[in-house]
Amino acid sequence: MSAGVGVDLENLWIRFGDFVAVRDANVHIKGGDFFSFLGPSGCGKTTILRAVSGFLDPSEGQVLIGGNDMKGIGPNKRPTALIFQNLALFPLMKVWENITFSMEIKGASAKERRKRADELLDMIALPGQGDKLPSELSGGQRQRVAIARALCAEPDVLLLDEPLSALDLKLRQHMRTELREIQQRVGITFIYITHDQGEALTMSDNIAVMRAGVIDQIGDGKTIYNDPSTAFAASFVGENNVFRGTVKQVQGDKALIATNRSGDLLARISTANQGKMKAGDDAMMFIRPEAFALAPAGTQGDHFVTATVTNEEFEGNSFNIFMEGEGGKEMKVSLPNLGQSFDSHKGQPMTLQYDVQNAVALPAGDLATE
Amino acid sequence: MPRFLKEFFDRNGLGIGSLMLGLVLFWTIGLIILPQLSMLDFSFRPNLPPPEIGGPKDVYTMENYKYLVFGPEGGSQDYNAVDLKVFYRTLVAAIFVTIFNLILCYPIAYYLAQTKGNHIRIFALMLIIPYWINEILRAFALRIIFGETGVLNNLLVAAGIFDTPFDFVRNDIALYAGLGYAYILLMIFPIYNVIESLDRNQIEAARDMGASWPMIHRRVVIPYAKPGISSGCTMVFMLSAGALAAPQILGGPSSLWFTQLIYQQFNDNSDWPQGAAYAVVLLVTCILLVLALMRVFKVNMGDIGK
Ligand SMILES: Nc1ncnc2c1ncn2[C@@H]1O[C@H](COP(=O)(O)OP(=O)(O)O)[C@@H](O)[C@H]1O
Ligand SMILES: [Mg+2]
């Protein structure tokens, strides 16, 4: 079964004058994938999308769609449809005209177009709204019209540039599910751009984590979250606690790290860095808030951390405990609510343990700044 | 007091408010409406020597208007063919100049509005600076270019495109060029203003869906630019139809502009009532024509102000 049209970026460089916006990107997106580019604002995500849709020529390297080199093929000739960050609906056209603009270009009759518009309006749950102007719809409805307009062109690849960023939180979460459903129904490749790791994790089959024009890691959500390959990916995706130090000893696939303030701690070396870390290297170790468990007070060892509790938050199903961390930053620990209380711990030291499999050792690198 | 007036005074205070209101009223009533009304009044009166003004012969009459249509009483022709023809030709030519101007200016305005960078400022400046030179000088400069021994003819003959110089003036090409050039800015800027506010992503979205450039302009840019296009066209048409200097200087010897007839009535014939009647006819016809076209192209009055 052929599952749609894939997209490949081969050694892709994009420069604006001296500024390198995309540096040697190599990405292989399978047909029918929901693929996300995840990275902070300004890291080059839109630039990549514009190169795929054909609005921008790569300075070097290739964009292949369905295995065909797209060099010299304009945006109007590519099997892609782009949903813009600001949607770019045509304000003077009615909703149904907006949706079927791609058919109008091909010369379809008004009757045909009307029929197709009604089908698509049903699909996006806006039946009977075709005669309105975009300005008469709510933000979420406009969002769906933009999706319908892009799908009407029957693209092989749908490109979405932070399409949910203008919506409020509730709607955004609802639209995540809806987008994912639409993608599974139409079965085409979605390339999705976002700076919101929650969006990327919930919707995507695969994610590329980007930092300042460079792709740090590509993998499915679980891999990116559990097995980051750079310090940036570890700190950008989800919450993470960082421990800085140097590698004291490599033990198979694990490293013992002499941390700056918590003694020697053991962590699993991330898959991408196996065999690349050696004693004496600057290293960082990451442990997620939920990977900690309470340990008997004062226990010492290579998977125990003791620190002073500065604050606590009760979240219903869990407690967030904030402890003295590194460099003025707090360490966050989430403990499930099992009926216990931590009230008396404020200002007191607390000892925690973790499973070495859940601690990731990485070469020292830039962290994401929030 | 109507609400908008009350708000106006609340915002500006009574003193400043009255002063501003007074100036605006003086401007519209004193300097525009009253003189026009007196012209209208003139146009319905006979042309009398000063002693007889206010006398028994000074009565309202349609005579001046009849003259434009039927010519002098007891004249040899049934209609005033000469003046009517000039009138008609002036309107047609003004429409032609407007269309020509639109075709020329729309791409320029689009380019200026959709391109970023410093060279755009220089481009705009180059469009504006020639307007520091007064209208008459600009018209004579065009004569130098288009004249029988002018720059253009010299070039064309030297390049072997024409064997003998082409009479651009007699063929009214110089006139149309002059009129077109005179109001270029009035066409470019309203269109530029509107297109500048058009979201570039809309153009890219249309392109992404496969639209060709003509299609993008027809369905996305032009509908959006319509208010600017109509205000530009209105101004250029009104001013072309009412132009005097360019036709005077650049018109061929046999082609009169209707404004020149008006001028002759006022100046050469000292027949103010007749001149006023001609001017009123021109003004009213132009306004009606513009209103009719606005209806055809579904433009609102409010859009013109954009
Ligand atoms: N046309 C351009 N000319 C110069 N620099 C640009 C251009 N487009 C984008 N950039 C720069 O490239 C970088 C990446 O931009 P972009 O791809 O829009 O980031 P984002 O990840 O937020 O979508 C930014 O630093 C931006 O300033
Ligand atoms: Mg962007």
Side-chain angles (χ1 to χ4, degrees):
Chain A
M1 181 191 110
S2 103
V5 171
V7 175
D8 301 285
L9 311 180
E10 309 264 13
N11 308 320
L12 186 76
W13 288 73
I14 296 168
R15 297 190 187 86
F16 298 111
D18 289 338
F19 177 75
V20 181
V22 177
R23 186 184 296 272
D24 199 21
N26 282 284
V27 184
H28 304 282
I29 302 170
K30 287 201 305 284
D33 232 15
F34 195 122
F35 191 97
S36 295
F37 284 90
L38 170 65
S41 169
C43 72
K45 305 180 299 291
T46 299
T47 305
I48 286 194
L49 213 58
R50 290 173 65 80
V52 174
S53 56
F55 287 111
L56 203 95
D57 291 325
S59 313
E60 264 175 62
Q62 289 173 310
V63 174
L64 295 103
I65 300 179
N68 301 317
D69 189 356
M70 288 289 122
K71 193 175 163 64
I73 298 176
N76 52 343
K77 296 279 193 296
R78 294 193 185 191
T80 56
L82 176 59
I83 297 180
F84 289 79
Q85 207 159 357
N86 68 352
L87 306 185
L89 295 176
F90 305 123
L92 300 173
M93 289 185 207
K94 289 182 177 157
V95 165
W96 78 271
E97 292 176 295
N98 259 290
I99 291 179
T100 57
F101 187 67
S102 59
M103 297 172 75
E104 186 183 338
I105 292 163
K106 296 196 191 95
S109 72
K111 208 172 136 209
E112 256 177 282
R113 285 190 282 138
R114 194 69 221 220
K115 188 162 157 280
R116 181 81 180 117
D118 287 339
E119 285 169 19
L120 283 162
L121 282 166
D122 281 343
M123 189 195 85
I124 57 168
L126 287 177
Q129 312 264 30
D131 281 313
K132 289 189 174 169
L133 287 173
S135 56
E136 293 164 336
L137 300 179
S138 72
Q141 291 173 328
R142 275 205 289 273
Q143 182 62 62
R144 287 191 284 233
V145 170
I147 294 168
R149 182 176 73 170
L151 289 175
C152 183
E154 299 187 333
D156 293 328
V157 181
L158 190 66
L159 310 168
L160 304 100
D161 190 351
E162 310 214 18
L164 306 186
S165 55
L167 305 181
D168 61 52
L169 184 67
K170 256 278 181 42
L171 201 52
R172 208 151 63 212
Q173 277 166 346
H174 172 74
M175 287 300 294
R176 282 182 194 175
T177 332
E178 204 159 303
L179 266 178
R180 182 67 183 160
E181 273 171 23
I182 291 173
Q183 193 262 342
Q184 277 165 350
R185 203 166 336 141
V186 295
I188 61 171
T189 313
F190 273 39
I191 301 181
Y192 189 91
I193 272 186
T194 181
H195 65 267
D196 178 333
Q197 39 107 10
E199 274 177 22
L201 290 175
T202 46
M203 290 191 287
S204 324
D205 296 312
N206 284 293
I207 300 170
V209 180
M210 277 189 84
R211 165 180 55 116
V214 180
I215 293 176
D216 264 20
Q217 185 174 9
I218 300 175
D220 61 25
K222 286 194 202 82
T223 308
I224 302 260
Y225 191 84
N226 294 329
D227 192 14
S229 48
T230 64
F232 176 81
S235 56
F236 188 72
V237 182
E239 289 180 289
N240 229 335
N241 297 301
V242 62
F243 298 80
R244 291 166 210 261
T246 52
V247 179
K248 197 168 182 182
Q249 193 182 43
V250 176
Q251 308 172 354
D253 66 346
K254 299 190 183 66
L256 187 65
I257 292 170
T259 64
N260 293 347
R261 54 171 297 153
S262 301
D264 294 353
L265 294 174
L266 195 60
R268 178 178 54 83
I269 300 173
S270 89
T271 310
N273 295 289
Q274 292 284 346
K276 290 181 191 160
M277 293 177 77
K278 56 181 194 307
D281 285 356
D282 284 342
M284 286 179 173
M285 197 184 100
F286 292 88
I287 306 178
R288 303 267 178 206
E290 68 274 16
F292 286 106
L294 219 48
T299 321
Q300 306 222 331
D302 61 12
H303 58 289
F304 293 90
V305 177
T306 301
T308 307
V309 176
T310 53
N311 213 343
E312 66 144 6
E313 255 173 30
F314 177 57
E315 249 192 56
N317 60 347
S318 65
F319 293 92
N320 293 327
I321 316 257
F322 296 94
M323 306 170 84
E324 267 176 12
E326 275 190 2
K329 272 186 90 174
E330 285 183 319
M331 204 175 115
K332 184 178 170 184
V333 176
S334 292
L335 296 172
N337 177 7
L338 304 171
Q340 76 279 50
S341 169
F342 296 98
D343 282 349
S344 56
H345 285 73
K346 223 181 230 182
Q348 302 292 316
M350 187 188 250
T351 302
L352 299 159
Q353 60 179 321
Y354 62 87
D355 182 342
V356 176
Q357 282 306 319
N358 294 332
V360 182
L362 290 164
D366 294 338
L367 299 180
T369 49
E370 289 297 284
Chain B
M1 199 175 345
R3 213 161 64 96
F4 77 93
L5 263 187
K6 195 169 143 32
E7 275 173 16
F8 177 77
F9 280 118
D10 283 349
R11 194 160 339 123
N12 297 297
L14 200 61
I16 301 273
S18 315
L19 184 71
M20 277 162 58
L21 198 65
L23 283 173
V24 168
L25 287 181
F26 171 71
W27 159 253
T28 47
I29 296 178
L31 296 180
I32 299 174
I33 296 181
L34 286 182
Q36 292 301 325
L37 280 180
S38 98
M39 273 297 152
L40 193 65
D41 181 66
F42 262 127
S43 75
F44 287 105
R45 290 182 188 277
N47 191 25
L48 299 171
E52 288 185 39
I53 288 179
K57 282 191 183 170
D58 197 356
V59 288
Y60 282 120
T61 164
M62 289 300 288
E63 211 178 282
N64 298 316
Y65 290 92
K66 277 191 193 144
Y67 181 88
L68 171 61
V69 182
F70 301 110
E73 231 154 301
S76 56
Q77 280 172 314
D78 290 344
Y79 292 98
N80 188 350
V82 176
D83 289 5
L84 282 177
K85 202 171 144 212
V86 170
F87 179 63
Y88 169 78
R89 246 210 2 227
T90 301
L91 290 180
V92 171
I95 290 174
F96 174 78
V97 166
T98 308
I99 294 171
F100 172 77
N101 229 330
L102 177 61
I103 293 170
L104 183 75
C105 294
Y106 174 81
I108 297 176
Y110 176 80
Y111 174 77
L112 284 178
Q114 285 290 313
T115 321
K116 292 191 190 76
N118 261 336
H119 64 289
I120 290 305
R121 301 198 162 281
I122 296 168
F123 199 116
L125 208 61
M126 275 162 44
L127 281 170
I128 292 168
I129 285 180
Y131 290 85
W132 294 359
I133 300 163
N134 74 50
E135 200 187 348
I136 312 252
L137 276 182
R138 264 184 288 135
F140 275 110
L142 281 178
R143 252 200 113 101
I144 294 173
I145 295 170
F146 283 112
E148 204 141 359
T149 55
V151 181
L152 194 57
N153 266 321
N154 285 345
L155 280 177
L156 288 173
V157 172
I161 296 171
F162 290 146
D163 296 333
T164 53
F166 181 77
D167 195 340
F168 290 105
V169 174
R170 191 174 296 277
N171 287 291
D172 284 337
I173 290 177
L175 172 60
Y176 294 150
L179 281 174
Y181 181 54
Y183 308 117
I184 266 185
L185 284 188
L186 294 175
M187 188 63 101
I188 290 179
F189 278 110
I191 302 179
Y192 166 83
N193 255 330
V194 189
I195 297 186
E196 208 196 9
S197 68
L198 172 64
D199 173 15
R200 235 206 110 77
N201 284 350
Q202 280 183 31
I203 296 170
E204 293 200 338
R207 191 148 173 72
D208 189 52
M209 279 179 272
S212 57
W213 282 112
M215 180 80 176
I216 291 172
H217 281 281
R218 190 167 67 75
R219 289 293 276 140
V220 180
V221 188
I222 293 179
Y224 188 83
K226 208 162 79 173
I229 292 176
S230 4
S231 81
C233 286
T234 313
M235 282 196 279
V236 169
F237 172 72
M238 290 288 194
L239 288 171
S240 299
L244 185 60
Q248 199 92 285
I249 297 164
L250 293 166
S254 60
S255 69
L256 273 177
W257 211 246
F258 195 66
T259 47
Q260 288 172 284
L261 293 186
I262 298 174
Y263 181 79
Q264 279 172 10
Q265 296 293 357
F266 275 102
N267 207 51
D268 304 349
N269 305 353
S270 302
D271 191 346
W272 278 48
Q274 188 61 63
Y278 274 32
V280 167
V281 169
L282 182 64
L283 179 67
V284 170
T285 314
C286 285
I287 289 175
L288 290 178
L289 211 62
V290 166
L291 290 178
L293 286 174
M294 277 168 62
R295 167 98 23 125
V296 170
F297 289 107
K298 300 201 179 69
V299 182
N300 298 322
M301 205 53 170
D303 291 343
I304 297 281
K306 281 188 184 160

